[in-house]
Amino acid sequence: MLEHFQQQQIQVNGVTINLRRGGEGPPLLLLHGFPQTHVIWHKVADELACHFTLVMPDLRGYGDSSRPPGEPKHVNYSKRVMAQDMADVMQALGHTSFFVCGHDRGARVAHRLALDHRQAVRKLMILDISPTRTMYEATDKTFATMYYHWFFMIQPAPVPETLIANSASFLLRSTLGNWGSNGAQFIDAAAMAEYERCFCRPDAIHAACEDYRAAAGIDLEHDRDHDTNRIGCPVRVLWGEHGVVGKLFKPLQDWQAKCELPVSGKALPAGHFIPEQVPELLLPEMLDFLR
């Protein structure tokens, strides 16, 4: 998978970031989410590479990137630190300004990247999230039921780590199937095998929990700057009409409140995993916005 792209590992910000890169044109950083890796882009990467120089990393804690133990207050998995990883990676590759597209947790990293590194991010595409703070502040029984993992994975270690490790493959496949809204048939066997290889190990499970613990704590502290610090670049948001975000939130309005410029976007006929479920619909949206 992604055999046309060069694999590379870069040491930045105290961790090693694994990535694939290739293509021609202006740089485009693609950021995956939970519980996946950079492989989520495999259905759109070849076409995108005809127009952009792609950089597809594994976020810290995911894939074959470093999975450091969590620190007090989970600071080393804050989106601010993870965004710094990505800024440093792009700088190491010679890209001082670039486009960004992020899905799920990767979109949360991309959000912080656009705030903390305003001069670097030229345009931002966000896939199937509303802002973290907005979603937590709107929590009710329906949201807590549908996104139970937001509240389960933030419990103190080693409770969620131990329970997930008892059947990590089951949780992974259940998550991909349920959030896909129509099972996990859209995920190629090779991609599923890669997700299982990377997720079903104790240090990866711990890292994912730390990611969510940071989101419920230190990230919310950092997000208080939204009242005065808004995204300054053009933003387009896409979401799955059958997913939780599409059903419970108003992504266009939610993101407009965080941005200086008008936000564009729309729902696509998908669940959560847009890059793998409807790549044929995502591609023209990306090309239209980013070119």
Side-chain angles (χ1 to χ4, degrees):
M1 304 188 73
L2 298 169
E3 64 272 11
H4 300 135
F5 297 87
Q6 176 186 351
Q7 184 176 14
Q8 185 174 352
Q9 294 193 334
I10 300 178
Q11 292 186 342
V12 293
N13 203 22
V15 295
T16 299
I17 297 297
N18 180 71
L19 60 87
R20 287 189 181 269
R21 63 185 179 93
E24 296 182 358
L28 169 58
L29 176 65
L30 298 175
L31 301 178
H32 71 88
F34 171 87
Q36 297 169 296
T37 72
H38 72 274
V39 168
I40 192 175
W41 306 108
H42 74 98
K43 292 183 179 180
V44 296
D46 285 344
E47 178 63 29
L48 288 174
C50 297
H51 308 276
F52 304 98
T53 298
L54 301 187
V55 180
M56 299 174 284
D58 293 329
L59 298 172
R60 74 160 61 197
Y62 293 88
D64 289 313
S65 290
S66 295
R67 297 171 290 275
E71 297 175 352
K73 293 188 70 175
H74 322 292
V75 173
N76 62 329
Y77 282 92
S78 69
K79 303 310 158 294
R80 172 159 284 161
V81 169
M82 295 170 82
Q84 188 66 56
D85 293 346
M86 297 300 106
D88 290 349
V89 162
M90 296 303 278
Q91 186 70 36
L93 293 173
H95 306 310
T96 57
S97 68
F98 45 88
F99 302 123
V100 184
C101 178
H103 173 255
D104 187 76
R105 312 307 291 176
R108 303 190 190 282
V109 174
H111 179 194
R112 179 47 58 182
L113 187 64
L115 291 173
D116 290 358
H117 304 271
R118 292 173 64 93
Q119 301 306 311
V121 179
R122 296 165 60 182
K123 289 185 178 181
L124 172 61
M125 177 170 274
I126 292 170
L127 302 182
D128 208 58
I129 68 166
S130 280
T132 305
R133 182 178 167 188
T134 301
M135 294 178 72
Y136 266 121
E137 289 179 346
T139 295
D140 59 13
K141 179 182 177 182
T142 301
F143 176 65
T145 300
M146 298 178 77
Y147 261 27
Y148 74 94
H149 66 292
W150 273 38
F151 308 94
F152 167 58
M153 293 177 69
I154 67 176
Q155 299 305 310
V159 173
E161 285 93 335
T162 302
L163 295 175
I164 293 171
N166 284 337
S167 192
S169 178
F170 173 80
L171 178 68
L172 174 77
R173 288 176 175 267
S174 175
T175 298
L176 294 172
N178 290 339
W179 295 353
S181 77
N182 60 347
Q185 305 96 312
F186 59 90
I187 298 180
D188 293 347
M192 182 67 81
E194 184 68 1
Y195 300 148
E196 287 190 309
R197 178 185 72 83
C198 293
F199 180 73
C200 299
R201 46 183 296 171
D203 56 352
I205 294 168
H206 171 68
C209 290
E210 286 296 296
D211 177 7
Y212 279 88
R213 289 174 182 131
I218 188 65
D219 288 346
L220 295 180
E221 293 181 24
H222 293 159
D223 285 351
R224 293 196 183 102
D225 69 3
H226 290 183
D227 296 333
T228 56
N229 184 21
R230 299 179 186 276
I231 298 172
C233 67
V235 173
R236 179 167 296 180
V237 56
L238 301 173
W239 63 95
E241 64 182 8
H242 305 305
V244 173
V245 172
K247 292 177 180 177
L248 302 185
F249 297 92
K250 299 178 180 179
L252 271 182
Q253 294 176 225
D254 294 343
W255 282 108
Q256 186 61 72
K258 309 299 182 184
C259 297
E260 296 174 357
L261 302 175
V263 177
S264 63
K266 65 181 183 181
L268 297 179
H272 180 59
F273 300 102
I274 291 171
E276 289 180 288
Q277 286 185 276
V278 287
E280 73 285 357
L281 301 181
L282 175 60
L283 265 170
E285 292 290 334
M286 296 181 75
L287 294 175
D288 174 68
F289 177 62
L290 298 174
R291 287 193 302 181

